[in-house]
Amino acid sequence: MNRAIVDGVHWVGFVDWNIRDFHGYVTERGSSYNAYLVLDREPALVDTVKAPYAADLLRNVSELVKPADIRWVVCNHAEPDHSGALPAVMAACPNATLVCDQKCKDVLAIYYDVSAWKFRIVKTGDSLSLGRRTLEFIETPMTHWPESMATWIPQDRLLFSMDAFGQHYATSGRFDDEVPDSVLYFEAKTYVANILMLYTMPVAKAVAAVRKLDPAIICPSHGVVWRSQVKRMLDLYDQWDVCKPVRKVVVMYDTMWKSTEAMAEAVLQGAIAEGGPALDAKLFHVRATTGTRLATEMLDVAAFAAGSPTLNGTLMPAMADALTYLKGLRPANKAGFAFGSFGWGRGGPEEVEHYLQTMKVELLRPVLKLPYKPSPAGLDECREAGRLLARHALKVCPV
Ligand code: FEO
């Protein structure tokens, strides 16, 4: 099934309704691998799909043009969710030349046998006339991988943006105005948090370049096409790119005999008491919450507390897992503290604090540790610590 984006430009990708794990990213709403066909005197296919869905892509293409008539295949990104079908596509399109930047060619040559493929290597500023339309190329390194590129059609003010502006969202709607806003923006934010959060500067640079183009339509490699809310999406990216904090605090914890849980609840109570209705305060048990969701919450949190009891002289494994994932995503502009209980051994809360230090979190207080079962005075100390989170959130995001 194909779908027209504008007259002569068609979506020919694959909707992956059932994927739930995208290299560790929990994709509760599935995903799509978007490929686009530009019909012109010299037809061009922009990006492909995951390898198992090559036949679906070629069937969609064949509804519109004979694969042998395709003149150009553009590869904006070498990651296998978009390049996996290239071997099948290049075999089915013997008259096509693959268009990509040099870094992309280098990676493709590692993944696939490219010895029979014809290449056109492009860089920023290069263009390719298809007939009525032109493809212009813009290198956007680290808007997921170093070889990432975007492709622009000036005649339609249409941008094939690759991973940027995508969402892992399987839907029968193809456009931003065909799906519920609440779901769309949740998935767009989740995508930024889990895929792009650590590439703050390159993404910000790419967004600035996209603004200059003033696109009417943005066609990402995953999820729906932006045509009605392009400006709103760009504005949100400006906030998300820098992890701009909102008036929100998060308390995340693991627990063994409910002591650290009691501490977490007291921290939350303190934050709510201090912040009142102006503050969004949330509590997450890390064994009941995916890392994907925690990362999304961390994208715009102002302050957070992370707690673990001591198990075998260190932190609980699920908290280590969550913090390892978050550390890799490098959330910026965050403040917080570590907490947790201990018995005869030490190490859990201290190890959590060590993670926070390596994440360059501004520590609002020293690690908060309580022995065995929290006393009423200990819980009061937790509430006071929760107030610190709220005060920081309100300070950096004044009402
Ligand atoms: Fe959707 Fe970076 O691949």
Side-chain angles (χ1 to χ4, degrees):
M1 185 192 78
N2 69 75
R3 178 90 189 266
I5 302 300
V6 294
D7 186 30
V9 179
H10 293 254
W11 178 92
V12 289
F14 181 80
V15 177
D16 196 347
W17 293 97
N18 291 316
I19 187 169
R20 293 291 179 270
D21 183 336
F22 196 102
H23 56 50
Y25 178 148
V26 179
T27 48
E28 291 175 1
R29 289 189 170 91
S31 191
S32 69
Y33 317 112
N34 297 339
Y36 302 93
L37 182 65
V38 184
L39 296 174
D40 211 319
R41 193 179 68 234
E42 297 189 5
L45 177 65
V46 179
D47 292 316
T48 72
V49 297
K50 264 188 179 176
Y53 312 119
D56 300 86
L57 167 67
L58 287 168
R59 187 169 54 246
N60 291 343
V61 168
S62 299
E63 290 173 4
L64 298 161
V65 67
K66 289 183 197 155
D69 289 340
I70 291 183
R71 179 72 182 81
W72 305 102
V73 175
V74 177
C75 181
N76 283 314
H77 184 20
E79 193 167 9
D81 50 329
H82 309 296
S83 70
L86 273 176
V89 166
M90 295 308 283
C93 306
N95 300 308
T97 294
L98 191 89
V99 182
C100 63
D101 61 31
Q102 182 62 50
K103 284 177 285 190
C104 187
K105 182 185 176 187
D106 295 343
V107 178
L108 293 177
I110 296 169
Y111 274 124
Y112 315 109
D113 176 2
V114 302
S115 55
W117 300 2
K118 299 184 287 286
F119 280 91
R120 165 82 68 96
I121 301 301
V122 295
K123 58 185 183 314
T124 298
D126 289 349
S127 62
L128 187 62
S129 174
L130 305 180
R132 288 181 299 118
R133 287 182 163 96
T134 310
L135 301 182
E136 296 180 0
F137 305 103
I138 306 152
E139 290 166 286
T140 54
M142 302 319 295
T143 56
H144 193 204
W145 282 14
E147 85 302 341
S148 298
M149 186 175 83
T151 299
W152 170 244
I153 301 182
Q155 291 84 358
D156 300 303
R157 290 177 40 234
L158 183 154
L159 183 73
F160 300 110
S161 62
M162 196 269 307
D163 278 344
F165 310 111
Q167 329 94 47
H168 281 313
Y169 183 14
T171 168
S172 58
R174 281 271 54 83
F175 294 96
D176 56 355
D177 47 42
E178 295 179 341
V179 295
D181 270 10
S182 57
V183 176
L184 175 60
Y185 284 97
F186 179 81
E187 293 301 340
K189 180 180 174 185
T190 299
Y191 189 90
V192 170
N194 286 274
I195 300 287
L196 300 174
M197 181 147 62
L198 67 165
Y199 306 122
T200 300
M201 293 314 294
V203 174
K205 197 172 160 190
V207 172
V210 171
R211 275 192 188 281
K212 278 191 191 156
L213 293 171
D214 188 23
I217 301 171
I218 294 180
C219 300
S221 295
H222 300 284
V224 300
V225 168
W226 301 91
R227 68 176 177 189
S228 298
Q229 304 184 51
V230 169
K231 184 179 179 307
R232 184 178 174 194
M233 183 75 268
L234 290 172
D235 289 347
L236 282 169
Y237 257 64
D238 280 342
Q239 295 177 32
W240 294 337
D241 288 345
V242 293
C243 296
K244 186 177 177 189
V246 298
R247 282 194 298 275
K248 181 171 82 172
V249 305
V250 160
V251 182
M252 63 179 81
Y253 70 98
D254 200 347
T255 195
M256 194 187 309
W257 292 107
K258 297 194 177 294
S259 294
T260 302
E261 184 168 71
M263 294 176 72
E265 287 168 353
V267 170
L268 182 78
Q269 288 163 10
I272 292 171
E274 182 73 22
L279 183 77
D280 185 12
K282 299 182 178 184
L283 181 78
F284 296 99
H285 189 316
V286 294
R287 274 186 280 145
T289 313
T290 66
T292 307
R293 176 67 191 278
L294 289 173
T296 308
E297 295 291 346
M298 286 294 288
L299 183 70
D300 57 3
V301 78
F304 73 103
S308 171
T310 298
L311 174 69
N312 303 328
T314 187
L315 73 176
M316 297 276 282
M319 180 56 80
D321 184 49
L323 290 174
T324 299
Y325 185 59
L326 295 176
K327 185 178 76 168
L329 289 169
R330 295 185 220 153
N333 302 318
K334 308 305 174 197
F337 64 85
F339 67 96
S341 63
F342 64 97
W344 70 96
R346 305 290 170 99
E350 294 88 343
E351 196 60 32
V352 172
E353 186 178 61
H354 182 65
Y355 268 98
L356 268 48
Q357 286 167 333
T358 57
M359 290 165 69
K360 298 189 169 45
V361 173
E362 176 191 345
L363 293 178
L364 297 174
R365 57 154 293 151
V367 59
L368 199 174
K369 299 178 289 184
L370 296 177
Y372 293 100
K373 182 181 176 185
S375 65
L379 292 176
D380 282 345
E381 189 181 358
C382 293
R383 290 186 192 96
E384 280 308 306
R387 288 179 181 274
L388 289 176
L389 298 176
R391 273 184 220 129
H392 181 85
L394 296 176
K395 184 180 80 179
V396 297
C397 309
V399 180

